[in-house]
Amino acid sequence: MDQRAPIDFLKVDQSSEWDQDNCPVRSVMAPISGKWSTLLLHALSERPYRFGELRRLVPDISQRMLTQTLRDLQRDGYVNRTVFPTKPPSVEYSMTPLGHSLFSRLYLVIEWSVQNHASVLEARQAFDEAETSA
Amino acid sequence: MDQRAPIDFLKVDQSSEWDQDNCPVRSVMAPISGKWSTLLLHALSERPYRFGELRRLVPDISQRMLTQTLRDLQRDGYVNRTVFPTKPPSVEYSMTPLGHSLFSRLYLVIEWSVQNHASVLEARQAFDEAETSA
DNA sequence: CGGCATCCTCGACGATACTG
DNA sequence: CAGTATCGTCGAGGATGCCG
């Protein structure tokens, strides 16, 4: 059904050289699996935003997590942070080419989740009802 | 750069009807953002596996998390669980069409992370060095 | 073999207050 | 405006032992 090249991170038992902390998939996926990463990547894929704009765009994020998530995204090279020496200072976050490259793939999953949300909810409900009746 | 349709989960402030707990993206993404979900989806996209096979395939997962993650994947309709009444009993996990549909998109992100791991590590290192020198 | 029950740790995340 | 610092909570995940 799927035609894909094999991936090393599953061949744990065969490869004695394998280091779980250096697995490319875990290394890349884990930092963008946070609660807010996808949300912020999606926003910045659209256009650059200032810190306060992002806060208003995602009202239920704490400023602590906004700062931290943006830092993580910047650290992995997905986002640029530009400080303008105005008074008071303003900071703009923009997506790098690497970020756009990643997001072009990630967006397909986002799109899928919107299109198939109903099917997932249906399966979830059926599962829960089967559990309850048991 | 990216040409995409707008997504509702970002228009929080404009839409007063919006319910954060019913956001399709968070609803679908959160359960598959766990530490082991991607790993198990990848394994099962290849072929059905039995419980013990999956344990050996992913040696550093606890059987508690293996059970729980498989349950979550089953609940959302990505995985089927089939019990064979042998002695002792054997259980086979297989991927549903919905699971294959999701994974065909998710795999593109996995593939990206393998291809671009070096770039991410490079950005990470540069960022950390800039922090240290500061 | 394929679980479930229990206890525990630790890090993600939130709330609040303060600062250049 | 755009953060940092501190404290507190809560749940993901791990370790161990028991069971049909």
Side-chain angles (χ1 to χ4, degrees):
Chain A
M1 181 158 297
D2 298 312
Q3 184 62 25
R4 299 181 308 275
I7 288 216
D8 55 354
F9 79 143
L10 270 179
K11 308 201 163 170
V12 181
D13 36 359
Q14 288 100 317
S15 152
S16 56
E17 297 278 9
W18 193 81
D19 176 11
Q20 88 178 74
D21 293 329
N22 203 23
C23 166
V25 184
R26 301 192 192 190
S27 171
V28 172
M29 298 282 283
I32 60 172
S33 297
K35 186 174 181 181
W36 307 105
S37 313
T38 307
L39 215 43
L40 293 179
L41 283 174
H42 182 273
L44 294 172
S45 75
E46 189 184 331
R47 66 168 179 85
Y49 279 99
R50 294 200 15 216
F51 188 85
E53 290 182 304
L54 289 172
R55 275 196 79 172
R56 286 186 292 278
L57 205 60
V58 190
D60 55 343
I61 193 176
S62 64
Q63 86 250 58
R64 179 179 134 77
M65 286 316 293
L66 181 54
T67 302
Q68 182 175 310
T69 306
L70 286 171
R71 262 182 83 90
D72 292 343
L73 294 179
Q74 184 194 359
R75 187 173 109 100
D76 282 11
Y78 305 134
V79 162
N80 275 324
R81 179 177 182 271
T82 311
V83 183
F84 296 102
T86 56
K87 264 183 100 134
S90 66
V91 179
E92 187 184 85
Y93 292 90
S94 61
M95 181 164 274
T96 66
L98 189 70
H100 278 289
S101 171
L102 166 63
F103 193 75
S104 67
R105 307 277 182 113
L106 194 57
Y107 180 73
L108 299 174
V109 182
I110 294 178
E111 191 180 49
W112 188 96
S113 70
V114 174
Q115 291 166 353
N116 298 86
H117 187 213
S119 301
V120 172
L121 285 184
E122 196 175 347
R124 218 172 270 180
Q125 186 177 349
F127 183 88
D128 290 345
E129 283 172 2
E131 290 289 290
T132 307
S133 70
Chain B
M1 181 158 292
D2 299 314
Q3 184 63 25
R4 300 181 308 276
I7 287 214
D8 56 354
F9 80 141
L10 272 178
K11 308 200 163 171
V12 180
D13 36 358
Q14 289 100 318
S15 152
S16 56
E17 297 278 10
W18 193 82
D19 177 11
Q20 89 178 71
D21 293 329
N22 203 23
C23 165
V25 184
R26 300 192 194 189
S27 171
V28 173
M29 296 284 282
I32 60 171
S33 296
K35 186 174 179 179
W36 308 104
S37 312
T38 307
L39 215 44
L40 293 179
L41 283 175
H42 183 273
L44 293 172
S45 75
E46 186 185 335
R47 68 169 178 86
Y49 279 98
R50 293 197 20 212
F51 189 85
E53 291 182 304
L54 288 172
R55 276 196 76 171
R56 287 187 291 278
L57 205 60
V58 190
D60 54 343
I61 193 176
S62 65
Q63 92 243 74
R64 178 179 136 77
M65 285 317 293
L66 181 54
T67 302
Q68 182 175 310
T69 305
L70 286 171
R71 261 181 83 88
D72 292 343
L73 294 179
Q74 183 194 0
R75 187 173 110 99
D76 281 12
Y78 305 135
V79 161
N80 275 325
R81 178 177 183 273
T82 312
V83 182
F84 296 102
T86 56
K87 259 181 104 132
S90 65
V91 180
E92 186 184 88
Y93 292 90
S94 60
M95 181 163 276
T96 65
L98 189 68
H100 278 289
S101 171
L102 167 63
F103 193 75
S104 68
R105 307 276 183 114
L106 194 57
Y107 179 73
L108 299 175
V109 182
I110 295 177
E111 191 180 50
W112 188 95
S113 70
V114 174
Q115 291 166 353
N116 298 87
H117 187 212
S119 301
V120 172
L121 286 185
E122 197 176 345
R124 215 171 272 180
Q125 186 177 349
F127 182 88
D128 291 345
E129 285 172 359
E131 289 290 290
T132 306
S133 69

